[in-house]
């Protein structure tokens, strides 16, 4: 399957080109950038034969079935709508858009057009997260009481651009990382946050947008979720803890792009390390997308998942801005 890559981005060059090329007959045949020279240079660097700053030119290629969108966040909606209108299957980066209305429109349009639409929430593609979900599903921790997500990291210097200084491009740690954590909580616990309280801050990096956030979410089961995201923590490491009536899971360094980290299960029987598959998160995500396009399965995270993670992030930001508890509004499409 031939792919159009929309956005000459870091995530595309570091992970997604290789993830597509790892699939049987997977090829990136176009790159679309806002700048023609940049598109051409990027295409040359990555061995891609066609480059343009005109999205419609690439979308007119009948040989390209799939579109991967990894532009800055404010562009996702218009680019996805154009790709869907052209009959392409779409794998879109998170957050799907800047508003719930944008995300709703994208997912509804894909549904009406009969194309596959997926959200690139990579963490649920990792062996570690899949192993933890299996433990929970198997009752290893009993009834889940709480989930603590530690996702305060240090934003690499090469990414300290629009993310830290451009609200109109969708900057800020909430659209960048809280969306991922919302998806992780939903994936692990199998339920959707009901309401949230939150505080955010600028702790040295954010210029007009938040670079740190802490929030607490209530789940329908009564489980409590505590989530911490930041761009400014060089030594914190990442992780999560799931605490239940029969056991606790301690996972270190698992909120990453790489298949790494450790999982420890502690119960009345003792403490043991939990093994997991060390496959590439992004190769798995594209493989699941391929299966969906071929009618053999579902994407790892579909459009509804993308709407819901955005809805939680928007609620967290509204709660931090208002100082009030905010009910998560999921809209009608999800
Ligand atoms: P980048 O900042 O690397 O790229 C975003 C856009 O900025 C590109 O599409 C490009 O615009 C422009 N750009 C990038 N580098 C340059 C440059 N050197 N000079 C001029 N313009 C440049 O963003 P990321 O790759 O970090 O993120 C892109 C998207 O992917 C975001 O939506 C983000 O949320 C998401 N993401 C998802 C991850 C995941 O694991 N699921 C991980 C990281 C990011 P143009 O479109 O015009 O080519």
């Amino acid at each position: 399957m031939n792919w159009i890559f929309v956005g000459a981005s870091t995530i595309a060059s570091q992970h997604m080109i290789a993830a597509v090329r790892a699939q049987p007959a997977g090829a990136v045949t176009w790159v679309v950038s806002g700048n023609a020279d940049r598109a051409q240079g990027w295409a040359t660097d990555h061995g891609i034969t066609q480059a343009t700053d005109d999205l419609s030119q690439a979308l007119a290629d009948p040989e390209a079935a799939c579109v991967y969108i990894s532009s800055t966040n404010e562009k996702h909606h218009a680019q996805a709508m154009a790709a869907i209108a052209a009959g392409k299957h779409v794998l879109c980066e998170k957050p799907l858009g800047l508003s719930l209305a944008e995300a709703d429109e994208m997912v509804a349009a894909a549904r009406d057009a009969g194309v596959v639409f997926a959200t690139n929430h990579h963490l649920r593609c990792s062996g570690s997260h899949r192993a933890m979900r299996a433990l929970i599903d198997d009752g290893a921790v009993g009834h889940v009481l709480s989930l603590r997500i530690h996702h305060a990291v240090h934003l690499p210097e090469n990414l300290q651009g629009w993310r830290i200084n451009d609200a109109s491009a969708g900057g800020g740690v909430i659209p960048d990382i809280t969306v991922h954590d919302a998806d992780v909580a939903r994936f692990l616990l199998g339920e959707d946050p009901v309401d949230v309280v939150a505080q955010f801050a600028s702790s040295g990096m954010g210029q007009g947008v938040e670079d740190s956030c802490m929030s607490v979410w209530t789940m329908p089961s009564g489980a409590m979720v505590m989530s911490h995201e930041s761009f400014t923590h060089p030594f914190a490491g990442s992780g999560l803890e799931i605490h239940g009536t029969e056991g606790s899971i301690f996972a270190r360094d698992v909120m990453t792009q790489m298949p790494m980290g450790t999982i420890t299960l502690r119960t009345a029987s003792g403490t043991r390390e939990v093994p997991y598959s060390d496959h590439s998160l992004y190769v798995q995500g594209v493989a699941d997308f391929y299966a969906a396009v071929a009618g053999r399965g579902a994407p790892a995270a579909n459009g509804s998942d993308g709407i819901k993670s955005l809805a939680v992030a928007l609620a967290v930001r509204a709660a931090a801005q208002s100082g009030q508890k905010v009910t998560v509004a999921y809209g009608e499409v999800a």
Side-chain angles (χ1 to χ4, degrees):
M1 270 193 293
N2 291 348
W3 286 71
I4 298 166
F5 269 38
V6 181
S9 68
T10 306
I11 178 73
S13 57
Q14 288 186 343
H15 294 282
M16 293 302 290
I17 294 174
V20 164
R21 289 177 175 160
Q23 313 299 325
V28 181
T29 52
W30 283 94
V31 59
V32 181
S33 169
N35 177 292
D37 290 340
R38 183 172 151 70
Q40 190 53 60
W42 205 84
T44 304
D45 288 348
H46 297 291
I48 298 168
T49 51
Q50 299 169 98
T52 181
D53 61 354
D54 178 1
L55 176 58
S56 62
Q57 184 190 4
L59 292 176
D61 180 354
E63 303 294 319
C66 303
V67 173
Y68 167 62
I69 297 173
S70 66
S71 52
T72 46
N73 300 338
E74 87 286 9
K75 295 180 181 164
H76 294 177
H77 171 258
Q79 291 167 337
M81 293 301 288
I84 293 163
K88 310 297 185 189
H89 304 292
V90 175
L91 173 57
C92 187
E93 273 304 342
K94 44 49 66 172
L96 291 188
L98 299 188
S99 69
L100 205 58
E102 284 188 351
D104 274 357
E105 196 179 7
M106 294 152 74
V107 175
R111 184 192 58 206
D112 294 346
V115 296
V116 173
F117 186 95
T119 311
N120 204 25
H121 278 310
H122 63 298
L123 290 167
R124 63 164 68 203
C125 300
S126 72
S128 59
H129 287 246
R130 291 183 177 188
M132 288 188 280
R133 189 167 90 163
L135 284 174
I136 295 168
D137 289 349
D138 291 347
V141 300
H143 175 67
V144 175
L145 300 168
S146 62
L147 165 63
R148 303 173 185 163
I149 300 175
H150 308 274
H151 208 158
V153 294
H154 192 260
L155 190 66
E157 204 171 327
N158 66 309
L159 296 182
Q160 292 176 23
W162 59 272
R163 270 185 180 79
I164 62 166
N165 64 19
D166 193 348
S168 66
V173 80
I174 294 174
D176 201 51
I177 306 185
T178 306
V179 282
H180 277 312
D181 295 343
D183 189 64
V184 165
R186 293 187 56 252
F187 176 71
L188 291 176
L189 304 188
E191 54 182 350
D192 301 332
V194 176
D195 53 42
V196 307
V197 293
Q199 294 209 20
F200 59 16
S202 183
S203 56
M205 209 181 271
Q207 301 156 34
V209 297
E210 79 286 343
D211 61 29
S212 299
C213 183
M214 290 187 178
S215 56
V216 176
W217 316 339
T218 309
M219 306 302 272
S221 66
M224 296 181 74
V225 178
M226 185 183 82
S227 186
H228 179 200
E229 297 85 22
S230 181
F231 288 151
T232 63
H233 287 46
F235 306 109
S238 74
L240 60 82
E241 298 175 4
I242 303 152
H243 301 289
T245 51
E246 308 298 325
S248 287
I249 297 167
F250 301 87
R252 292 297 301 165
D253 301 322
V254 295
M255 308 298 285
T256 75
Q257 298 181 299
M258 306 303 289
M260 57 181 274
T262 57
I263 305 172
T264 306
L265 174 65
R266 186 186 300 160
T267 67
S269 315
T271 299
R272 69 174 174 91
E273 297 297 300
V274 178
Y276 62 86
S277 166
D278 65 353
H279 60 257
S280 155
L281 286 62
Y282 296 97
V283 171
Q284 184 66 53
V286 177
D288 290 352
F289 184 85
Y290 262 57
V293 169
R296 288 185 278 102
N302 62 19
S304 178
D305 294 314
I307 292 174
K308 290 183 175 183
S309 63
L310 175 61
V312 174
L314 292 170
V316 166
R317 187 172 260 168
Q321 283 167 335
S322 66
Q324 305 290 317
K325 182 190 282 187
V326 171
T327 300
V328 184
Y330 291 106
E332 296 185 358
V333 177

